[in-house]
Amino acid sequence: MTMSQEQIRDYCKTYLEATACQFLEKSPYHVTVKLSPQADKELTNRPYYWGFVERMGIEPETMSFCFIFDPEKHRALEDASAAPSAGHTDPVLDRHFGAVRPLPVLGPGRIQREEITFGSPRLKQIFAAARQGGRQVYLFENPGHLQRRTLLSAAYEPWLGVQYKLEFCCDVKREELHFLGISLQNGMVDDAFANRLKGKDLIPRLPENVHITPTGLALPVARERLEKLITSRLEDADSAWADAAQERLEEELLLIDSYYRDLLQDPDEERQLAFREQYEARKAEIRWQYEPRIVVSALGSGIFHLRSSL
């Protein structure tokens, strides 16, 4: 798997916008930002600095970066923008030393430059931060520009959405993803919540001229209802795969028994003890590999505020 330069740029911009970074400059080939406190903590690896800031209660000074997605085109853009300013240097210095490039700004205002490519350490760091931060989200449906000019405020309904991964494990493995949603207003369950979100523009901030309807269902109760739905699905699922896996497990255990039967009768007590340890270890390995089991995990969850259909 790989990503184009445009995909990398769009992914990074989405992360920077979601973490409320301040955009100083951008083009199709780069973006210059002053990191938000959240992004600075996730990307700059300055735990001692942030520990000091939080202990002292002082205003933090976050770092600034110029992330470059297409080095060649960005360099050409820089050269083109620098050319008209060449005549604004000091004429006295020019006669003696030639045109002098301005010195870089040092200290807190310094802007670090990094080229972001697929596989680069910084992009991997952004991926990791996005995965960690994306496990729980709090999003709003974007109503569009027309809503700002309407007289009536739009009603938004809060939903709890959870994506579950079901792993059917034995000597072979099968996985299923179930994205379930439940309305925190009336308790209605949507077992295909991804379809409800499909095509919607979701943003991390409350839009203008909208209001959130009151919730009638507490989060722990909503989570319990979704977990019960997953449990009922598992109870109703076809268990033929587990029966077949159990048969293969019994066959493998019989083979191990036949192999170690005579070895476990060795007259030498030390060798017999060693064979016994091997036998038990091998049985444990086979059980772990073949024994059917189901593992349920929540990959991510969020509160989604969607325009009410009522």
Side-chain angles (χ1 to χ4, degrees), residues 46-114:
R46 300 194 294 166
Y48 295 111
Y49 170 75
W50 282 104
F52 171 77
V53 167
E54 291 167 358
R55 286 196 307 272
M56 301 301 294
I58 61 177
E59 188 71 21
E61 180 61 46
T62 61
M63 299 179 68
S64 298
F65 283 86
C66 175
F67 295 126
I68 300 170
F69 309 109
D70 192 324
E72 292 185 6
K73 292 182 179 179
H74 180 257
R75 195 175 302 114
L77 184 67
E78 279 190 318
D79 293 341
S81 62
S85 63
H88 297 290
T89 58
D90 191 314
V92 177
L93 292 176
D94 286 351
R95 284 198 300 271
H96 292 278
F97 303 105
V100 179
R101 294 181 65 86
L103 293 174
V105 178
L106 301 177
R110 180 169 64 93
I111 297 177
Q112 299 193 44
R113 297 164 62 96
E114 286 196 25

Side-chain angles (χ1 to χ4, degrees), residues 21-243:
C21 295
Q22 179 186 358
F23 285 79
L24 306 176
E25 186 181 57
K26 55 185 173 181
S27 77
Y29 320 118
H30 85 290
V31 62
T32 303
V33 295
K34 183 173 178 60
L35 299 180
S36 64
Q38 177 186 344
D40 193 287
K41 292 176 182 179
E42 293 175 346
L43 300 182
T44 62
N45 192 27
R46 300 194 294 166
Y48 295 111
Y49 170 75
W50 282 104
F52 171 77
V53 167
E54 291 167 358
R55 286 196 307 272
M56 301 301 294
I58 61 177
E59 188 71 21
E61 180 61 46
T62 61
M63 299 179 68
S64 298
F65 283 86
C66 175
F67 295 126
I68 300 170
F69 309 109
D70 192 324
E72 292 185 6
K73 292 182 179 179
H74 180 257
R75 195 175 302 114
L77 184 67
E78 279 190 318
D79 293 341
S81 62
S85 63
H88 297 290
T89 58
D90 191 314
V92 177
L93 292 176
D94 286 351
R95 284 198 300 271
H96 292 278
F97 303 105
V100 179
R101 294 181 65 86
L103 293 174
V105 178
L106 301 177
R110 180 169 64 93
I111 297 177
Q112 299 193 44
R113 297 164 62 96
E114 286 196 25
E115 295 182 4
I116 308 296
T117 59
F118 189 73
S120 64
R122 182 66 71 186
L123 185 60
K124 291 180 180 178
Q125 196 176 27
I126 292 174
F127 283 158
R131 281 196 301 270
Q132 181 63 30
R135 290 180 63 86
Q136 291 88 30
V137 297
Y138 196 80
L139 298 173
F140 302 84
E141 180 180 351
N142 188 355
H145 298 293
L146 293 178
Q147 180 60 35
R148 299 178 184 174
R149 298 194 292 269
T150 59
L151 296 177
L152 298 177
S153 173
Y156 272 32
E157 180 180 3
W159 289 75
L160 169 64
V162 183
Q163 186 172 60
Y164 294 97
K165 180 171 72 170
L166 310 184
E167 299 175 81
F168 300 85
C169 305
C170 54
D171 54 322
V172 293
K173 188 175 181 180
R174 178 170 59 90
E175 296 181 351
E176 293 180 2
L177 294 178
H178 296 255
F179 195 11
L180 309 181
I182 181 169
S183 170
L184 299 180
Q185 179 182 341
N186 54 37
M188 184 182 76
V189 173
D190 187 343
D191 59 0
F193 192 57
N195 293 335
R196 185 178 293 269
L197 298 180
K198 188 175 181 180
K200 296 185 184 299
D201 180 19
L202 300 173
I203 57 178
R205 289 172 290 278
L206 179 68
E208 298 178 19
N209 200 23
V210 304
H211 66 275
I212 308 301
T213 57
T215 59
L217 196 66
L219 276 176
V221 177
R223 185 190 67 236
E224 184 179 352
R225 288 190 184 179
L226 293 183
E227 291 174 353
K228 286 182 177 179
L229 177 58
I230 286 292
T231 301
S232 66
R233 285 188 175 184
L234 291 174
E235 291 173 348
D236 296 337
D238 186 2
S239 62
W241 70 275
D243 297 335

